[in-house]
């Protein structure tokens, strides 16, 4: 059995920081949803915000929860596909993921500048790029300090980003209930000049983008404490959090404002209209912080893709080097350099390309789960999706053990079980006692959406 250096062991993410990282690798708050309402209309927007987590995110979190519990290795989804289909498809999954990360990471400097324009309108191209570089390299500095630092910072960022929206939602709900004549904001159901199906088509990619990415944090599976049990538990907390944040902020504010004013970057103006100018300033600052926190958390998870590709000999060996805390410094730095070149690409085109490439990668992961269930039925982690009629653990079933190889030839990373195999939910993690409640339902049962 391999003994980990104390610095690596102490830098592992626990449940709370993992939920915070997951929140920012999926959502980051309701920023970016203003444009959805304005482009498709109130009714279609609310329909998408309710239907997307149920029809898209719940299945995704169940899929990801089982795979992450089955093979909680560094590299996450890359390792899952490699084990199921071999190095060739693992390589292409890694590159596909890396490609969509280039588009995804270019979005967040655009979002930060969108909210910065509330304070400094009329920034030129050069000024915007300088701001983007400051954001990128600030997040890089934080990432170089280690995974646990990023996780702890993300927890504080969650609180800071959601605080002004808690005030906004509370005031909006009180005002809405104080005006009994104000209807539920679903009219017009779709925007003028569009049909229902047309509005649905316009909004679906943006809605999916705000509710997807549940597999992102799987790439740090080797840096999560008791990952086989912790990752599904984090999904089970993050999905409801994201969904509730979206609905509790959008519905009451939409009931009190003109839906045609809902455009990209409109949250500060909406907060000013509902509560006052001081809250508009606070929301604008939160928007900038959210964009930074999104980039920071995603840099953490995306930088592990070149790391594991290099460990498998598919990229230069220098990218596989890690420091005493297990941080892949070279992979983080190279990632930041590449993202700096992609900053400030047009936002609209980025979203469509991002969702398309991500969906293709997710399809490979779904196929990997089916293949692994058939080829290695005894391989399972703490969480497992119940099969029709109720899954059963047969006499030959076993957990993923430390000696298991995550891939065939040259595969790196160990698959760790970390607890008794679950049948239809997350069983108690090792060390659970009477004082700790075991989660026995699937991660999305009772995010969640972007998985109690």
């Amino acid at each position: 059995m391999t003994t980990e250096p104390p610095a690596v062991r102490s830098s592992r993410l626990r449940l709370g920081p993992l939920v915070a990282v997951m929140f920012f690798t999926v959502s980051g708050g309701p920023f970016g949803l203003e444009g959805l309402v304005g482009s498709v209309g109130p009714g279609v927007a609310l329909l998408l915000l309710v239907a997307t987590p149920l029809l898209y995110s719940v299945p995704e979190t169940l899929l990801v929860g089982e795979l992450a519990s089955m093979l909680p290795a560094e590299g996450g989804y890359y390792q899952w596909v490699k084990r199921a289909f071999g190095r060739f498809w693992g390589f292409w999954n890694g590159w596909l993921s890396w490609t969509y990360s280039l588009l995804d990471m270019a979005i967040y400097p655009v979002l930060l500048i969108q909210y910065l324009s509330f304070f400094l309108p009329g920034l030129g191209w050069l000024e915007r790029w300088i701001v983007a570089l400051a954001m990128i390299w600030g997040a890089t500095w934080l990432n170089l300090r280690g995974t646990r630092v990023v996780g702890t910072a993300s927890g504080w960022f969650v609180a800071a980003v959601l605080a002004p929206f808690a005030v906004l939602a509370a005031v909006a709900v009180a005002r809405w209930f104080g005006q009994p004549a104000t209807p539920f904001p679903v009219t017009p159901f779709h925007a003028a000049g569009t049909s229902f199906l047309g509005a649905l088509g316009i909004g679906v990619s943006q809605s999916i983008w705000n509710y997807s990415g549940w597999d992102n944090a799987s790439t740090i599976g080797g840096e999560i404490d008791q990952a086989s049990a912790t990752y599904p538990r984090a999904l089970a907390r993050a999905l409801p959090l994201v969904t509730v944040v979206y609905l509790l902020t959008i519905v009451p504010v939409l009931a009190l404002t003109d839906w045609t004013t809902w455009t990209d970057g409109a949250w500060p103006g909406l907060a000013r209209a509902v509560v006052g100018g001081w809250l508009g300033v606070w929301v604008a600052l939160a928007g900038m912080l959210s964009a930074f926190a999104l980039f920071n958390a995603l840099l953490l998870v995306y930088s592990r893709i070149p790391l594991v590709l290099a460990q498998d000999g598919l990229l230069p060996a220098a990218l596989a080097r890690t420091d005493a805390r297990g941080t892949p410094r070279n992979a983080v730095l190279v990632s930041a350099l590449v993202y700096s070149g992609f900053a400030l690409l047009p936002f609209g085109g980025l979203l469509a390309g991002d969702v398309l490439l991500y969906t293709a990668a997710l399809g490979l992961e779904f196929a990997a789960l089916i293949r692994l269930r058939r080829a290695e039925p005894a391989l399972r982690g703490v969480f497992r999706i119940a099969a029709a009629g109720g899954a059963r653990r047969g006499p030959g079933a076993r957990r993923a053990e430390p000696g298991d190889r995550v891939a065939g030839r040259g595969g790196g990373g160990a698959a760790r079980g970390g607890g008794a195999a679950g049948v239809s939910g997350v069983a108690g993690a090792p060390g659970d006692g009477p004082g700790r409640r075991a989660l026995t339902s699937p991660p999305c049962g009772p995010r969640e959406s972007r998985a109690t």
Side-chain angles (χ1 to χ4, degrees), residues 311-364:
Q311 288 174 341
D312 282 353
L314 301 172
L315 285 179
L319 295 175
R321 295 175 189 155
T322 58
D323 63 16
R325 291 185 295 264
T327 303
R329 298 180 66 86
N330 291 341
V332 170
L333 290 169
V334 167
S335 298
L337 280 171
V338 175
Y339 297 146
S340 297
F342 276 77
L344 303 182
L345 292 177
F347 183 72
L350 290 171
L351 270 186
D354 188 17
V355 170
L356 179 63
L357 291 171
Y358 178 77
T359 302
L362 193 62
L364 276 174

Side-chain angles (χ1 to χ4, degrees), residues 37-38 40 52 59 82 94 123 141 145 158 183 196 226 230 329 344 350 365 371 378 387 418-419 434 447 449:
V37 174
V40 303
T52 303
K82 185 174 69 170
L123 287 177
W141 173 79
R145 298 187 63 196
V158 169
F196 168 68
Q226 299 181 7
T230 303
R329 298 180 66 86
L344 303 182
L350 290 171
E365 295 166 31
R371 177 67 176 268
R447 213 139 187 233
S449 124

Side-chain angles (χ1 to χ4, degrees), residues 194-260:
T194 66
S195 64
F196 168 68
L197 291 179
L200 206 61
I202 293 170
V204 70
S205 64
Q206 190 168 352
S207 181
I208 288 176
W209 182 70
N210 280 279
Y211 273 119
S212 64
W214 301 105
D215 58 339
N216 283 336
S218 69
T219 60
I220 56 171
E223 303 167 65
I224 298 171
D225 186 46
Q226 299 181 7
S228 183
T230 303
Y231 201 96
R233 284 198 175 107
L235 289 171
R237 288 153 176 78
L239 178 54
L241 173 63
V242 171
T243 306
V244 168
V245 165
Y246 288 168
L247 294 177
L248 284 186
T249 52
I250 290 175
V251 173
V253 177
L254 185 56
L256 299 175
T257 56
D258 180 0
W259 71 272
T260 60

Side-chain angles (χ1 to χ4, degrees), residues 30-36 110-118 206 261-272 280 283-284 287 347:
F31 299 105
L33 289 171
E34 316 97 305
L36 173 65
V110 176
L111 288 176
L112 184 142
I113 291 166
Q114 196 173 78
Y115 288 98
L116 179 62
S117 64
F118 182 82
Q206 190 168 352
T261 63
W262 287 60
T263 57
D264 290 331
W267 274 118
L270 294 170
R272 181 170 49 197
V283 168
F347 183 72

